[in-house]
Amino acid sequence: MTQTHEQKWAACLQFIKDAIGEDQFNTWFRDISCLRFENGVLHLFVPSDMFVEYIEDKYLGVLGTAIFREFGNNVSLRYAYNVKVDDPATMVDIASANRSKAVDTGTQAPKPESNEFKTYLNPRYTFENYCCSESNKIAYNIAESIANNPDIKTFNPFFIFGPTGVGKTHLIQAIGIRIKELNSNARVLYVSSREFERQFTTALREKDRNGTGINQFFNFYQSIDTLIIDDIQDLQNKEKTQNTFFNIFNHLHLNNKQIILSSDRSPAEMNGFEDRLLGRFKWGTTVAMEKPDLELRRDVLTQNAAQAGVSLPQEVIDYIISNVTDSIRELEGVMASMLMHATVMNVPISLQLAQKVVGNAVKISQRKLNFEMIAQEVSAYYNLDADAIFTKSRKREVSDARQMAMYLAKKLINMPLTSIGHHVSRSHATVIYAINNIEQRLAVEHGLQEDVNSIRAALSC
């Protein structure tokens, strides 16, 4: 029974949801509909031009794969949206953006039997778009060395591992893109281990029919100059696929071809793999990628904001990077969700919006604050000595900071007034005056409200 374009698009949406997760799917794909499919052109309706830019930037690869699976080869893509919300008279129709010249991104899945060679690298995953810090510096430096000197096989295979969302996929594809930029004739292939297994299974079925499929499969992979396989751990307990990959690995390595692998665990922790294959993984260089440190999280968030054409208030940046700590992918997801909320709700990006979005995205670990921690953060914010608040100084800048610390101690941790007074050697009446004074100033001083927001963000409250 022939499927309608709506049914095919529904299948695409399910594939995308499975690939990127429910949160990102709900943000960027749930409200996209298929208008029509005719003459090889798929017309999609999106909520706004921002969706076009973000999907083209972040998700064109998975969207292209989904379209290939359901609509076939050589599909062109066009987007339609209303310039004014809910006003069809303002609808515009635009084509999908042109892609990088260094790598060819199509909507066709890798086919080992094809004479046409596609890399399946995401043109956005370049070294220039990659943020580096101490948490990924070693992996980054080795990756760049491989990419800039592909004939030197010091790091072969190059095996990187780390938890989900720390930038492994971006980094290994950046190697392939740089190699292609330096030599357009280089045969570079990026493929996930699941796609590798799918191709192998397909080749076996074709072998049973005409005996040629498996030979084409081996010939294709043995012709690769740089083979990049993502999530190699997914070949766990796949004995036949492992044996096939073992033979391909040996051939490529013997012929001085580069092999790059990524995993969510080190070879020593990979169960369900043949010892001889694990031994091959350890032949070259194995590098761990850690969870992003504060510097990296700040750089990633700032870069994402710049690419989206928005300027984030400093207190928003501080709050997000203090609470979204596990992965770059989570950080990018929060940024995307915040942009979507700001656009749909027609509100500016603020600390309150960031708190709402982050609260929905990650489990926030609240630190157990005390007065000393609050006083230290206030002193740092106003560039005072750490113990200035606790002195008897009546200088204006010290007095204001002391009042801010007393106000925050009451508001953030509901500290008793007598206890606050004890910490700063002030009377009960002085504490009440300080808190009331800050509250009155907040009503008329916008700058003071920004001070409170920034300090609260630094304290992750």
Side-chain angles (χ1 to χ4, degrees):
M1 181 177 178
T2 303
Q3 287 185 311
T4 65
H5 66 270
E6 291 94 346
Q7 291 172 322
K8 290 181 178 180
W9 177 243
C12 288
L13 291 178
Q14 185 60 52
F15 176 86
I16 294 169
K17 184 177 182 180
D18 292 340
I20 68 175
E22 186 171 2
D23 289 342
Q24 291 300 299
F25 172 83
N26 288 340
T27 300
W28 295 108
F29 287 92
R30 183 182 60 187
D31 296 326
I32 297 178
S33 59
C34 180
L35 297 176
R36 61 188 181 278
F37 177 63
E38 56 187 17
N39 300 322
V41 181
L42 181 64
H43 297 262
L44 301 180
F45 184 83
V46 298
S48 71
D49 61 340
M50 183 187 72
F51 281 73
V52 177
E53 295 174 4
Y54 197 84
I55 290 171
E56 290 271 308
D57 184 43
K58 298 292 184 182
Y59 295 121
L60 191 61
V62 68
L63 176 59
T65 301
I67 291 172
F68 165 76
R69 288 165 58 95
E70 299 302 326
F71 291 88
N73 294 335
N74 302 317
V75 175
S76 299
L77 184 59
R78 295 191 68 87
Y79 303 93
Y81 59 88
N82 295 330
V83 176
K84 292 184 179 180
V85 178
D86 298 329
D87 186 358
T90 65
M91 180 184 289
V92 297
D93 182 79
I94 62 173
S96 177
N98 293 325
R99 312 305 294 166
S100 168
K101 295 180 180 179
V103 293
D104 182 14
T105 59
T107 54
Q108 299 181 29
K111 296 196 293 184
E113 70 275 12
S114 174
N115 292 324
E116 296 182 5
F117 190 85
K118 294 182 180 294
T119 65
Y120 299 95
L121 296 165
N122 186 329
R124 301 292 185 184
Y125 285 168
T126 64
F127 283 112
E128 290 73 19
N129 288 335
Y130 196 81
C131 296
C132 183
S133 76
E134 290 300 321
S135 63
N136 60 11
K137 187 175 182 179
I138 295 176
Y140 178 89
N141 288 341
I142 294 176
E144 203 169 36
S145 176
I146 294 171
N148 291 333
N149 305 281
D151 292 333
I152 300 175
K153 298 298 188 292
T154 305
F155 313 103
N156 195 26
F158 179 41
F159 189 107
I160 64 173
F161 69 93
T164 298
V166 297
K168 300 187 299 295
T169 296
H170 187 151
L171 186 60
I172 61 178
Q173 291 201 47
I175 299 173
I177 289 175
R178 177 68 58 80
I179 291 173
K180 287 291 291 183
E181 288 173 344
L182 296 176
N183 179 10
S184 61
N185 294 321
R187 291 174 66 84
V188 179
L189 178 68
Y190 166 82
V191 66
S192 70
S193 63
R194 290 188 183 276
E195 177 61 26
F196 178 87
E197 181 188 14
R198 186 194 67 78
Q199 292 176 12
F200 173 60
T201 302
T202 300
L204 285 179
R205 285 201 300 266
E206 292 181 0
K207 175 187 176 183
D208 293 338
R209 295 173 189 156
N210 53 36
T212 62
I214 197 66
N215 291 332
Q216 290 175 338
F217 176 86
F218 275 107
N219 290 338
F220 172 79
Y221 272 94
Q222 289 176 353
S223 73
I224 303 300
D225 295 319
T226 300
L227 177 61
I228 305 170
I229 296 194
D230 209 353
D231 293 321
I232 195 68
Q233 77 278 350
D234 288 339
L235 295 187
Q236 180 180 9
N237 297 321
K238 306 293 177 60
E239 184 177 346
K240 289 184 178 180
T241 309
Q242 286 183 33
N243 183 64
T244 298
F245 180 66
F246 175 82
N247 291 321
I248 291 171
F249 183 107
N250 281 346
H251 178 89
L252 294 178
H253 199 276
L254 183 64
N255 286 275
N256 209 33
K257 307 299 184 180
Q258 182 68 52
I259 302 165
I260 300 166
L261 308 171
S262 82
S263 172
D264 64 0
R265 68 206 75 167
S266 70
E269 299 171 316
M270 295 175 71
N271 299 319
F273 280 80
E274 296 182 14
D275 290 339
R276 61 176 185 166
L277 187 54
L278 292 177
R280 298 299 192 276
F281 292 167
K282 299 173 186 177
W283 271 1
T285 300
T286 300
V287 178
M289 291 185 65
E290 302 172 0
K291 289 184 178 181
D293 56 23
L294 187 67
E295 177 190 355
L296 181 57
R297 299 198 300 273
R298 186 183 301 278
D299 288 347
V300 168
L301 188 62
T302 303
Q303 183 187 79
N304 270 253
Q307 290 173 345
V310 299
S311 177
L312 296 181
Q314 189 59 48
E315 66 266 23
V316 170
I317 295 175
D318 292 338
Y319 180 80
I320 293 175
I321 65 176
S322 296
N323 289 286
V324 184
T325 60
D326 285 345
S327 79
I328 293 171
R329 190 171 300 159
E330 276 189 346
L331 203 61
E332 293 175 335
V334 165
M335 181 67 190
S337 184
M338 191 164 58
L339 285 174
M340 186 273 292
H341 276 78
T343 300
V344 172
M345 298 166 61
N346 195 27
V347 296
I349 294 176
S350 63
L351 179 61
Q352 290 71 26
L353 178 60
Q355 289 170 333
K356 177 182 179 180
V357 171
V358 171
N360 291 333
V362 299
K363 183 178 181 181
I364 300 177
S365 299
Q366 296 283 7
R367 289 190 291 170
K368 190 171 180 61
L369 298 178
N370 55 41
F371 189 86
E372 285 72 18
M373 295 168 65
I374 293 172
Q376 182 179 14
E377 198 61 54
V378 171
S379 298
Y381 182 79
Y382 289 115
N383 296 315
L384 300 174
D385 292 338
D387 60 350
I389 287 174
F390 301 97
T391 67
K392 294 183 179 181
S393 174
R394 294 189 178 183
K395 291 182 179 179
R396 177 63 182 270
E397 62 269 21
V398 176
S399 177
D400 285 352
R402 186 184 298 118
Q403 289 187 0
M404 177 66 77
M406 289 190 277
Y407 168 80
L408 291 173
K410 181 61 179 176
K411 294 299 180 181
L412 299 183
I413 58 178
N414 198 27
M415 180 177 283
L417 300 181
T418 53
S419 180
I420 295 174
H422 175 74
H423 277 84
V424 292
S425 301
R426 295 298 190 274
S427 67
H428 183 271
T430 301
V431 175
I432 293 176
Y433 171 79
I435 294 172
N436 288 340
N437 184 48
I438 294 293
E439 289 179 338
Q440 291 170 7
R441 291 176 59 194
L442 285 172
V444 294
E445 296 181 29
H446 179 70
L448 189 65
Q449 182 64 62
E450 291 183 347
D451 291 349
V452 171
N453 291 340
S454 296
I455 296 169
R456 289 190 61 167
L459 290 166
S460 299
C461 292

Short mmCIF file of all heavy atoms in Angstrom, two decimals, residues 384-412:
data_model
loop_
_atom_site.label_atom_id
_atom_site.label_comp_id
_atom_site.label_asym_id
_atom_site.label_seq_id
_atom_site.Cartn_x
_atom_site.Cartn_y
_atom_site.Cartn_z
N LEU A 384 36.14 43.38 46.80
CA LEU A 384 36.59 43.70 48.16
C LEU A 384 37.38 42.54 48.73
O LEU A 384 37.26 41.40 48.25
CB LEU A 384 35.39 43.98 49.07
CG LEU A 384 34.47 45.16 48.67
CD1 LEU A 384 33.26 45.19 49.59
CD2 LEU A 384 35.24 46.47 48.74
N ASP A 385 38.18 42.81 49.74
CA ASP A 385 38.86 41.73 50.45
C ASP A 385 37.84 40.79 51.04
O ASP A 385 36.73 41.21 51.43
CB ASP A 385 39.75 42.29 51.56
CG ASP A 385 40.94 43.07 51.02
OD1 ASP A 385 41.29 42.82 49.84
OD2 ASP A 385 41.49 43.92 51.75
N ALA A 386 38.19 39.52 51.13
CA ALA A 386 37.23 38.50 51.57
C ALA A 386 36.66 38.79 52.94
O ALA A 386 35.51 38.43 53.24
CB ALA A 386 37.90 37.13 51.53
N ASP A 387 37.46 39.42 53.84
CA ASP A 387 36.99 39.65 55.21
C ASP A 387 36.45 41.06 55.44
O ASP A 387 36.12 41.43 56.57
CB ASP A 387 38.12 39.37 56.21
CG ASP A 387 39.32 40.27 55.97
OD1 ASP A 387 39.35 40.96 54.94
OD2 ASP A 387 40.23 40.28 56.83
N ALA A 388 36.33 41.87 54.36
CA ALA A 388 35.93 43.27 54.53
C ALA A 388 34.55 43.40 55.17
O ALA A 388 34.30 44.28 56.00
CB ALA A 388 35.94 43.98 53.18
N ILE A 389 33.64 42.51 54.77
CA ILE A 389 32.26 42.57 55.27
C ILE A 389 32.21 42.36 56.78
O ILE A 389 31.32 42.89 57.48
CB ILE A 389 31.39 41.54 54.54
CG1 ILE A 389 31.13 42.03 53.10
CG2 ILE A 389 30.07 41.29 55.26
CD1 ILE A 389 30.40 41.04 52.24
N PHE A 390 33.17 41.64 57.31
CA PHE A 390 33.16 41.31 58.74
C PHE A 390 33.87 42.34 59.60
O PHE A 390 33.92 42.22 60.82
CB PHE A 390 33.79 39.93 58.96
CG PHE A 390 33.09 38.82 58.22
CD1 PHE A 390 33.56 38.37 56.99
CD2 PHE A 390 31.95 38.24 58.74
CE1 PHE A 390 32.91 37.35 56.31
CE2 PHE A 390 31.28 37.22 58.06
CZ PHE A 390 31.77 36.78 56.84
N THR A 391 34.45 43.37 58.97
CA THR A 391 35.15 44.41 59.73
C THR A 391 34.16 45.48 60.18
O THR A 391 32.97 45.46 59.82
CB THR A 391 36.24 45.07 58.86
OG1 THR A 391 35.62 45.80 57.80
CG2 THR A 391 37.18 44.00 58.27
N LYS A 392 34.67 46.46 60.92
CA LYS A 392 33.83 47.57 61.39
C LYS A 392 33.88 48.76 60.44
O LYS A 392 33.37 49.84 60.77
CB LYS A 392 34.29 48.00 62.78
CG LYS A 392 34.06 46.93 63.86
CD LYS A 392 34.46 47.44 65.22
CE LYS A 392 34.19 46.38 66.29
NZ LYS A 392 34.54 46.85 67.66
N SER A 393 34.48 48.58 59.29
CA SER A 393 34.61 49.67 58.32
C SER A 393 33.25 50.24 57.94
O SER A 393 32.28 49.50 57.72
CB SER A 393 35.33 49.17 57.07
OG SER A 393 35.34 50.18 56.07
N ARG A 394 33.23 51.61 57.85
CA ARG A 394 32.00 52.28 57.45
C ARG A 394 32.13 52.91 56.06
O ARG A 394 31.30 53.74 55.67
CB ARG A 394 31.64 53.37 58.47
CG ARG A 394 31.26 52.78 59.84
CD ARG A 394 30.70 53.85 60.75
NE ARG A 394 30.30 53.30 62.04
CZ ARG A 394 29.71 54.00 63.02
NH1 ARG A 394 29.51 55.31 62.84
NH2 ARG A 394 29.37 53.43 64.15
N LYS A 395 33.14 52.50 55.32
CA LYS A 395 33.27 52.98 53.96
C LYS A 395 32.04 52.57 53.16
O LYS A 395 31.49 51.49 53.36
CB LYS A 395 34.52 52.38 53.29
CG LYS A 395 35.83 52.91 53.86
CD LYS A 395 37.01 52.29 53.12
CE LYS A 395 38.33 52.82 53.65
NZ LYS A 395 39.49 52.21 52.95
N ARG A 396 31.62 53.44 52.27
CA ARG A 396 30.37 53.23 51.54
C ARG A 396 30.35 51.89 50.82
O ARG A 396 29.36 51.14 50.89
CB ARG A 396 30.16 54.38 50.54
CG ARG A 396 28.92 54.23 49.67
CD ARG A 396 27.64 54.25 50.50
NE ARG A 396 26.47 54.07 49.68
CZ ARG A 396 25.78 55.06 49.11
NH1 ARG A 396 26.18 56.31 49.28
NH2 ARG A 396 24.72 54.82 48.40
N GLU A 397 31.47 51.58 50.11
CA GLU A 397 31.47 50.34 49.34
C GLU A 397 31.41 49.11 50.24
O GLU A 397 30.78 48.11 49.90
CB GLU A 397 32.70 50.29 48.42
CG GLU A 397 34.03 50.28 49.13
CD GLU A 397 34.58 51.68 49.33
OE1 GLU A 397 33.77 52.66 49.31
OE2 GLU A 397 35.81 51.81 49.49
N VAL A 398 32.04 49.19 51.42
CA VAL A 398 32.00 48.06 52.35
C VAL A 398 30.63 47.96 53.00
O VAL A 398 30.06 46.87 53.15
CB VAL A 398 33.10 48.21 53.43
CG1 VAL A 398 32.99 47.08 54.46
CG2 VAL A 398 34.48 48.21 52.79
N SER A 399 30.06 49.10 53.37
CA SER A 399 28.74 49.12 54.01
C SER A 399 27.67 48.57 53.07
O SER A 399 26.80 47.78 53.47
CB SER A 399 28.39 50.55 54.43
OG SER A 399 27.09 50.60 54.99
N ASP A 400 27.73 48.97 51.79
CA ASP A 400 26.75 48.48 50.82
C ASP A 400 26.88 46.97 50.62
O ASP A 400 25.87 46.25 50.53
CB ASP A 400 26.94 49.19 49.48
CG ASP A 400 26.42 50.62 49.50
OD1 ASP A 400 25.78 51.00 50.50
OD2 ASP A 400 26.67 51.36 48.52
N ALA A 401 28.10 46.49 50.54
CA ALA A 401 28.32 45.06 50.37
C ALA A 401 27.83 44.28 51.58
O ALA A 401 27.25 43.20 51.45
CB ALA A 401 29.80 44.78 50.14
N ARG A 402 28.06 44.84 52.77
CA ARG A 402 27.61 44.18 54.00
C ARG A 402 26.08 44.07 54.01
O ARG A 402 25.51 43.03 54.37
CB ARG A 402 28.11 44.95 55.21
CG ARG A 402 27.83 44.27 56.55
CD ARG A 402 28.25 45.12 57.72
NE ARG A 402 29.68 45.38 57.71
CZ ARG A 402 30.23 46.59 57.59
NH1 ARG A 402 29.43 47.67 57.47
NH2 ARG A 402 31.53 46.75 57.60
N GLN A 403 25.42 45.16 53.62
CA GLN A 403 23.95 45.12 53.57
C GLN A 403 23.46 44.11 52.54
O GLN A 403 22.48 43.39 52.77
CB GLN A 403 23.42 46.52 53.23
CG GLN A 403 23.57 47.53 54.35
CD GLN A 403 22.88 48.84 54.04
OE1 GLN A 403 22.27 49.01 52.98
NE2 GLN A 403 22.96 49.78 54.98
N MET A 404 24.16 44.01 51.40
CA MET A 404 23.79 43.02 50.39
C MET A 404 23.92 41.61 50.94
O MET A 404 23.05 40.75 50.71
CB MET A 404 24.66 43.19 49.15
CG MET A 404 24.39 42.15 48.05
SD MET A 404 22.74 42.29 47.32
CE MET A 404 22.98 43.72 46.25
N ALA A 405 24.99 41.34 51.65
CA ALA A 405 25.20 40.01 52.23
C ALA A 405 24.09 39.68 53.23
O ALA A 405 23.58 38.55 53.25
CB ALA A 405 26.56 39.93 52.89
N MET A 406 23.71 40.66 54.06
CA MET A 406 22.64 40.43 55.03
C MET A 406 21.31 40.17 54.33
O MET A 406 20.54 39.27 54.71
CB MET A 406 22.55 41.62 56.00
CG MET A 406 23.71 41.73 56.96
SD MET A 406 23.47 42.96 58.27
CE MET A 406 23.94 44.45 57.40
N TYR A 407 21.04 40.95 53.28
CA TYR A 407 19.80 40.78 52.52
C TYR A 407 19.74 39.38 51.88
O TYR A 407 18.72 38.69 51.98
CB TYR A 407 19.72 41.86 51.44
CG TYR A 407 18.66 41.63 50.41
CD1 TYR A 407 17.33 41.93 50.65
CD2 TYR A 407 18.99 41.09 49.16
CE1 TYR A 407 16.35 41.71 49.69
CE2 TYR A 407 18.03 40.87 48.20
CZ TYR A 407 16.70 41.18 48.46
OH TYR A 407 15.74 40.95 47.52
N LEU A 408 20.82 38.96 51.24
CA LEU A 408 20.83 37.66 50.58
C LEU A 408 20.77 36.51 51.58
O LEU A 408 20.17 35.47 51.29
CB LEU A 408 22.08 37.53 49.70
CG LEU A 408 22.11 38.43 48.45
CD1 LEU A 408 23.45 38.33 47.75
CD2 LEU A 408 20.98 38.07 47.49
N ALA A 409 21.39 36.69 52.73
CA ALA A 409 21.32 35.64 53.76
C ALA A 409 19.89 35.41 54.21
O ALA A 409 19.48 34.26 54.46
CB ALA A 409 22.19 36.01 54.95
N LYS A 410 19.12 36.48 54.28
CA LYS A 410 17.71 36.34 54.67
C LYS A 410 16.88 35.76 53.53
O LYS A 410 16.05 34.85 53.74
CB LYS A 410 17.15 37.72 55.07
CG LYS A 410 15.69 37.67 55.53
CD LYS A 410 15.52 36.78 56.75
CE LYS A 410 14.06 36.74 57.21
NZ LYS A 410 13.88 35.79 58.34
N LYS A 411 17.12 36.23 52.31
CA LYS A 411 16.29 35.81 51.19
C LYS A 411 16.63 34.41 50.69
O LYS A 411 15.74 33.65 50.29
CB LYS A 411 16.43 36.82 50.03
CG LYS A 411 15.88 38.19 50.34
CD LYS A 411 14.38 38.13 50.65
CE LYS A 411 13.83 39.50 50.96
NZ LYS A 411 12.38 39.46 51.28
N LEU A 412 17.90 34.06 50.69
CA LEU A 412 18.31 32.79 50.10
C LEU A 412 18.25 31.62 51.06
O LEU A 412 17.91 30.50 50.65
CB LEU A 412 19.73 32.91 49.51
CG LEU A 412 19.93 33.95 48.40
CD1 LEU A 412 21.37 33.89 47.88
CD2 LEU A 412 18.94 33.73 47.26
#
